[in-house]
Every structure is written in C-alpha cells, then in structure tokens.
Amino acid sequence: MSEAGHSASGEADYDAIVVGAGFAGAVAARELAAQGRRVLVLEARDRIGGRTMVGTFMGRRIELGGAGVHWVQPHLFAEMQRYGFGFHEAPLANLDKAYMMLSDGRVLDVPPDTFDREYNAAFDRFCARSRELFPRPYAPLDNPEVLALDAVSAHEHLHSLGLNELQRASMNAELTLYGGAPTTELSYPSFVKFHALASWDTYTFTDSEKRYHVAGGTHALCEAILADARADVRLGAEVASVAQGEAGVVLTLASGARFSASIAVLTLPTKVYPDVAFEPPLSAEKQRFIENAEMCDGAELYVHVRQNLGNTFAFCDDPNPFNAIQTFAYGPELGTLLKITLGRQSLIDIEDIDAVAAEIRKVHHDAEVLSIAPYNWARDRFTKTAWSSYRKGWFSQYKAMAAPEGRLLFAGSATADGWHEYIDGAVESGIRAAREARRFFENPG
C-alpha cells in the first residue's frame, strides 16, 4: 500500500470500513454488504459484541453487559426474528421478597405487592407527561417543550412530585441506575422518552428493562448478524487515527497498519473518541458532545451466595452502591446467584469480595458470599462508560453526534433516536448509518 493508503492501482482497499464490532457495527456492516460494498470491520478487542458480553459463572451463561430486550424494541426484535432467537425470562415475577434500601442505609422489607404498587405509582407520576411530551417517540425533539425541559434534572422533577418515602427512594434508585450518576445530573426528559417508547406504559417498560433476555445470549445474535455481512473482520485492531480527504479515508491502527476506503462508519463509545486522532478534527459540536454529554459510571456484578434466598429483588437508593440486586438463579443445591447492577461503580471496589459481601449483607443479613463475577465498564479502556445516558442539557444535542462529517458516518447507541441506553438503539443507529452511506455512494459530491 502506498503512503496515501491506496493500492498501486490507486483504488481504495475497501468501499467502507466499520470501526467497532458491537451491534451498531455488525448491523452497519451487514447493511453495507447488502448494498454490494466491500466492507472491513476493525475491532479493538479480541471479541465482538461491544458493550454486550457473555461469560460463565457457576456453570451458567451470564450477561455482563447490555441484556434487556423486548418486543417493543422494534429494531432488535426484528433481528431476533430474522435469525430465529427467542426470549429467556429472568425470574423477576412472583417475588418471594422485596427490599428497599433508603439513602441513609435503612432497609425496608416490603411485601412484593406493596413494592410493585408503590414503585409503579412513582413511575407513573414521574412519567405522567410522556405521551404529551413524546407523541412520536422516535422523533423525540419535535416537541419544543422537550428542548426546554432538557435543562431540568431528574432529581429536580422527582422532588416536585410530593411522593412518599418508598416511592421517592425506589424511583431515585432507578434513575441513578439509568443515569450512572447522581440524579442531579440526569436529563429528566431523556428518561421519560423510554416510557413513551414502551407504549406509554409502566408495566411494559419494567418488563423491557429487567425481565427478558435473548435466548442463546446476545453474543450469539451479534455473531449471526456479523456473519451475514461476510465482511473482513480484524480483531485486536485498535484504530489510532482517521484521516479523510477528497479521495477517501485512511485509518491507521496502533500497530501501524493502514487501511483505506471511500467511507468509514465509526461506532465507538462516545468517551473513546478522544483516543483517536482525526484529520481534519471533528466538528466543535461533536467535540463538545463528547466532552460533556455522557456520564455513566456503571458496572455489572454476579454473586454466588451459599444460602437459597429465593426469588428476591432490592432497590438501593443513592449513595448506596448497588442500585439493583435481583435473584438470577436459586435452588437447594446451588444456593443463590444474584445479579447486581451499579450506576456508580466508583462508590465501591467491585473486585473486592469482602466489600461486596458487606454490601449484600445490608440487605440479606446472613448471606455467605462464596464467589463473585464482576465487570467494570467504566474502567474498560475501550468503553470508558457503561450504557449511554445523557447529562441534563445534552439530550437535546445528540443529533450533533449522529451527524455525518464528510466521509465519516457515526453510529452507536448514544446517537439513536429511540432506545439510546439499549441494544435496540445500537441496531437502529447501524441501520441509519448504512442508509446515510447509500446516499453518499449515490451522490458522492
């Protein structure tokens, strides 16, 4: 290859290079290949899947990243239908016990029916205007009032509702989990949009976030999509720089290898963009979004407890580090596997088994922790944040991150119109980027 990144004949190596082999990248690659394009996928990790990741713990498959799926998430559901994947149901219904840890550390043992009723009442109150604000949820900024309300934090709105102690604590725990930050930072309307996407229905929303996973695992679905692309895929290929000019784009890896194409589709998590040198630089609007918009300090953790605790769920209000603790599996011989989701991993060392055990015993007093399986997305150098959440004032700016710049197209869940904290948002964004690519090739001028 010449210094310009083209072959001796002057032709680019590929029509399109996709950076990232998560769901956004896999879908973009497949759609580009369906257009007849020569596609290269560059993935910095030694695996595909991005911020979804499947592992094993106590002989069971576990999801250590994005996992929640539902049929009201149309892009992902279509992919599951296309490749023959069904739903696996988590044991969230028919709880034996429900707990609420308040911000001061007190733990309430709440009858499950009461817990559901009070949480649902809080959620309904918080999202009471969802249909009014988002009559068409996939056009979330069409209502001018949404732009004005973006400056309102989730905390400010929550504390204006006159909720009781249990309602306020359970809703604040949920919001902390979604924001991956104190609720004083989270954009109020960015969360309400999820309620609108779930058919303006609290029960459906709750099912979409906690109850259903992909049968066979998210990794298998991502593999099926990427296999359909028949693209060249290179793992361990960390992109160091991206240069674009009139003839095309040249991507240089940390190893020094160089590849050229007519266009590039970038699906990096937002906070990773500063690790790549762009020539010319990205727009000022994108740079401001990258610096300010996202904040999620989240992580995932599985814990094996000797005792059979039954089917339980607990919300823990901020600043308690474990926002949601739910039974993943249980039985007389197994004991209990707990799945824990943290919005603010910086509040605890999730690799310290003693610290983890001490937190669990605040809810399950006699629990004997035998082993743990943590994954810290906020400290992963190829993500730097967990799920995509918007700081107040920045939800209204997400389209700046999604906008094409010359021969560069941008995808990833943070750029989605719809379910931006979910796999569905990543799939949606990959479809959009491929559509933008089609327009570029039809009219490259």
Side-chain angles (χ1 to χ4, degrees):
M1 188 184 300
S2 70
E3 283 299 301
H6 293 260
S7 66
S9 66
E11 294 181 354
D13 298 324
Y14 295 91
D15 296 315
I17 297 175
V18 177
V19 180
F23 275 87
V27 168
R30 183 195 63 201
E31 297 299 294
L32 285 161
Q35 296 173 21
R37 308 300 173 190
R38 295 171 297 144
V39 182
L40 170 66
V41 178
L42 299 174
E43 169 54 55
R45 304 178 188 277
D46 60 1
R47 62 169 181 84
I48 69 168
R51 282 181 281 193
T52 64
M53 184 170 69
V54 175
T56 57
F57 184 52
M58 298 300 299
R60 287 168 166 79
R61 182 174 56 239
I62 58 173
E63 296 278 0
L64 286 161
V69 299
H70 199 276
W71 46 91
V72 293
Q73 297 168 348
H75 304 90
L76 182 61
F77 184 53
E79 299 297 338
M80 293 171 66
Q81 292 288 93
R82 182 193 298 239
Y83 296 104
F85 285 81
F87 291 93
H88 167 72
E89 185 171 356
L92 184 62
N94 303 314
L95 293 176
D96 298 317
K97 284 281 192 177
Y99 303 94
M100 182 71 237
M101 183 185 290
L102 304 179
S103 60
D104 61 7
R106 287 181 294 138
V107 177
L108 307 180
D109 184 341
V110 185
D113 288 347
T114 302
F115 185 95
D116 285 346
R117 183 176 65 250
E118 296 296 280
Y119 168 73
N120 288 337
F123 205 108
D124 287 343
R125 291 279 298 281
F126 189 90
C127 297
R129 298 188 62 205
S130 64
R131 188 183 293 270
E132 176 188 353
L133 293 174
F134 299 102
R136 293 189 300 125
Y138 280 92
L141 305 182
D142 278 6
N143 184 344
E145 192 175 1
V146 171
L147 303 179
L149 288 174
D150 194 26
V152 177
S153 73
H155 181 273
E156 182 180 351
H157 179 64
L158 178 64
H159 285 262
S160 74
L161 300 176
L163 303 179
N164 65 37
E165 183 178 56
L166 177 57
Q167 291 170 344
R168 187 170 57 252
S170 61
M171 195 65 210
N172 199 64
E174 178 81 296
L175 293 165
T176 302
L177 190 155
Y178 266 78
T183 55
T184 52
E185 296 295 310
L186 176 63
S187 162
Y188 150 56
S190 74
F191 182 83
V192 173
K193 182 185 70 167
F194 292 130
H195 189 257
L197 287 161
S199 301
W200 306 280
D201 181 74
T202 296
Y203 184 88
T204 303
F205 171 84
T206 300
D207 273 3
S208 75
E209 65 163 345
K210 295 183 179 74
R211 188 165 182 173
Y212 296 105
H213 296 171
V214 177
T218 53
H219 184 272
L221 177 57
C222 193
E223 267 191 335
I225 296 169
L226 194 54
D228 221 3
R230 295 180 175 83
D232 291 343
V233 179
R234 301 200 179 207
L235 303 180
E238 182 181 354
V239 174
S241 67
V242 177
Q244 65 167 319
E246 292 184 3
V249 294
V250 178
L251 281 72
T252 304
L253 304 188
S255 66
R258 289 154 59 91
F259 301 94
S260 66
S262 295
I263 64 167
V265 179
L266 302 163
T267 73
L268 299 170
T270 303
K271 292 298 184 184
V272 177
Y273 277 92
D275 295 341
V276 180
F278 287 89
E279 181 56 42
L282 297 178
S283 67
E285 292 81 6
K286 271 194 177 57
Q287 292 187 48
R288 285 194 293 270
F289 187 93
I290 289 165
E291 182 177 357
N292 297 296
E294 289 197 68
M295 57 189 175
C296 187
D297 192 31
E300 298 276 3
L301 171 66
Y302 287 77
V303 177
H304 183 207
V305 173
R306 184 183 299 279
Q307 294 88 342
N308 179 358
L309 302 174
N311 189 16
T312 69
F313 181 81
F315 261 145
C316 305
D317 194 6
D318 195 45
N320 298 293
F322 294 167
N323 294 122
I325 306 172
Q326 69 184 84
T327 294
F328 176 73
Y330 63 103
E333 295 185 7
L334 173 67
T336 309
L337 299 184
L338 297 173
K339 179 184 179 182
I340 300 172
T341 310
L342 302 84
R344 301 178 63 194
Q345 61 78 31
S346 55
L347 295 175
I348 189 173
D349 180 357
I350 61 172
E351 296 185 359
D352 182 339
I353 191 171
D354 293 330
V356 168
E359 281 300 318
I360 290 173
R361 284 195 292 271
K362 291 178 181 178
V363 176
H364 301 289
H365 301 298
D366 298 322
E368 182 182 352
V369 173
L370 301 177
S371 57
I372 60 177
Y375 198 82
N376 197 326
W377 290 101
R379 295 188 181 181
D380 183 320
R381 64 183 290 257
F382 295 127
T383 60
K384 299 190 176 182
T385 54
W387 41 95
S388 297
S389 63
Y390 301 125
R391 183 173 276 111
K392 64 179 182 179
W394 289 94
F395 168 44
S396 55
Q397 306 300 314
Y398 79 92
K399 285 188 178 292
M401 193 66 222
E405 295 192 5
R407 294 174 177 271
L408 304 183
L409 308 176
F410 297 84
S413 56
T415 71
D417 291 325
W419 295 88
H420 63 268
E421 295 198 20
Y422 290 76
I423 303 170
D424 189 83
V427 175
E428 176 207 323
S429 74
I431 293 170
R432 172 190 41 79
R435 186 170 63 247
E436 292 166 345
R438 180 186 291 278
R439 288 199 293 265
F440 175 87
F441 284 116
E442 289 174 349
N443 185 20

